[in-house]
């Protein structure tokens, strides 16, 4: 699994999370003006606790 970091056509930073089979499984959902903010969002996702509940 890996995160792909890129700038979109509007020059905003975004990320996409890819599974081991190269399929996209998540994305940033929004653009960030600063690369450091996008990287912070990636770190937030990476640190998500496995005990986080799923709600319907």
């Amino acid at each position: 699994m890996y995160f792909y970091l890129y700038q979109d056509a509007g020059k905003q930073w975004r990320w996409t999370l890819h599974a081991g089979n190269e399929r996209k499984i998540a994305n940033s959902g929004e653009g960030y003006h600063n690369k450091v903010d996008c990287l912070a969002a990636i770190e937030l996702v990476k640190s998500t606790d496995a005990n986080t509940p799923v709600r319907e």
Side-chain angles (χ1 to χ4, degrees):
M1 217 172 355
Y2 66 92
F3 287 90
Y4 176 65
L5 180 67
Y6 65 96
Q7 277 189 298
D8 64 17
K11 300 294 183 191
Q12 290 196 330
W13 290 95
R14 295 178 178 270
W15 59 263
T16 303
L17 177 60
H18 292 259
N21 63 1
E22 298 297 320
R23 294 187 80 156
K24 295 177 185 177
I25 59 174
N27 64 50
S28 58
E30 66 178 298
Y32 297 88
H33 294 287
N34 300 308
K35 184 177 181 180
V36 68
D37 293 332
C38 190
L39 289 169
I42 290 172
E43 289 302 317
L44 182 63
V45 172
K46 286 170 64 175
S47 69
T48 300
D49 183 47
N51 295 318
T52 302
V54 176
R55 297 183 179 173
E56 289 189 47

